[in-house]
Amino acid sequence: MLMRGFNYKKAVQALNFLAEKNGSPLNKMKAIKLIWLADRLHLRTYGRTITGDVYFALPYGPVPSTTRDILEINSFSLSDDELNYSNEYLVITDKLNYNTNKVPNTKVFSKTDLDILEKILEKYGAFDQFTLSKLSHQFPEWKKYESALKQKVASRFEMNYIDFFEDVDDSTKLFIADPSSTQLAKDIYLEDQKMSNIL
């Protein structure tokens, strides 16, 4: 249940899973938005994200930073292990799209990880990257930085997972939850953060 930072194998396999299920090649921005939605829903339901990535608010919405580095093949930010693993499963076809290179290894996921990824694909998979970007601007974790982004105070702002626990009433109703269950997931997350600081 514990988060303990970024899990590159889960991030790569989530990208791979989305490309295989939603159709290859897959637009990078669309994949990033789907992963954000999956991380958000998993956090609100089980007290941890799937990838453990650090999120930033950018003009086009929330971005999982290291997952994006994987799609950009950013050798300055990624370790050799991360680069080699991503190259085994993903092929960057051009600046905007990527392809699956190998059947996803779903063994890296828990059952809940896969359930949430499937649910996000079912509800949001038909949307294109621009629809998902526009949708993300309704969410509080991005909205709190909207004004600063428009004023170009900075090009990006680090987001706080606590904001992911706020309800959002979009067309899917996925992010409207029973307050007690959301509070339980939040308590699990906060306890994990406390333990991380102790360790």
Side-chain angles (χ1 to χ4, degrees):
M1 210 53 160
L2 302 181
M3 291 187 70
R4 300 290 181 263
F6 179 66
N7 186 318
Y8 72 89
K9 290 184 178 179
K10 282 191 175 187
V12 168
Q13 294 305 337
L15 290 167
N16 199 24
F17 180 86
L18 293 172
E20 185 188 63
K21 294 279 186 179
N22 200 237
S24 289
L26 184 61
N27 178 270
K28 292 178 185 178
M29 184 163 80
K30 176 173 179 172
I32 277 171
K33 295 295 171 278
L34 291 173
I35 284 178
W36 156 65
L37 288 163
D39 270 343
R40 188 183 209 273
L41 186 58
H42 202 283
L43 178 67
R44 289 167 53 83
T45 311
Y46 301 106
R48 66 164 175 84
T49 64
I50 296 170
T51 66
D53 212 341
V54 175
Y55 276 82
F56 286 87
L58 275 79
Y60 283 100
V63 172
S65 58
T66 311
T67 303
R68 186 179 71 166
D69 286 340
I70 287 168
L71 286 176
E72 300 300 326
I73 319 176
N74 189 341
S75 56
F76 294 108
S77 301
L78 300 173
S79 68
D80 288 343
D81 286 344
E82 289 169 333
L83 281 168
N84 292 336
Y85 190 80
S86 60
N87 288 337
E88 184 181 347
Y89 287 94
L90 307 174
V91 178
I92 310 306
T93 52
D94 56 49
K95 190 175 179 182
L96 299 177
N97 305 289
Y98 74 98
N99 230 322
T100 178
N101 195 33
K102 194 175 179 181
V103 175
N105 175 11
T106 56
K107 290 179 182 177
V108 302
F109 297 122
S110 68
K111 184 181 184 302
T112 60
D113 294 337
L114 282 171
D115 287 347
I116 293 292
L117 284 165
E118 291 276 14
K119 192 173 287 189
I120 291 299
L121 266 180
E122 177 192 338
K123 298 292 186 181
Y124 296 99
F127 297 170
D128 68 17
Q129 63 270 30
F130 300 111
T131 304
L132 290 171
S133 173
K134 188 176 179 183
L135 174 82
S136 74
H137 292 176
Q138 301 172 28
F139 284 69
E141 60 264 34
W142 185 86
K143 213 156 184 52
K144 72 188 289 184
Y145 302 108
E146 181 177 18
S147 176
L149 285 165
K150 283 182 177 174
Q151 293 171 35
K152 300 187 176 175
V153 173
S155 60
R156 66 178 195 168
F157 295 90
E158 187 171 345
M159 299 169 113
N160 190 330
Y161 275 145
I162 287 296
D163 297 327
F164 287 32
F165 287 99
E166 290 190 39
D167 283 355
V168 175
D169 188 7
D170 75 347
S171 60
T172 69
K173 307 294 183 187
L174 277 185
F175 296 102
I176 297 288
D178 170 63
S180 61
S181 62
T182 306
Q183 186 59 51
L184 178 60
K186 190 175 182 178
D187 290 345
I188 291 168
Y189 166 71
L190 290 171
E191 184 61 28
D192 177 49
Q193 292 304 103
K194 193 189 297 181
M195 291 300 296
S196 296
N197 290 333
I198 291 169
L199 297 174

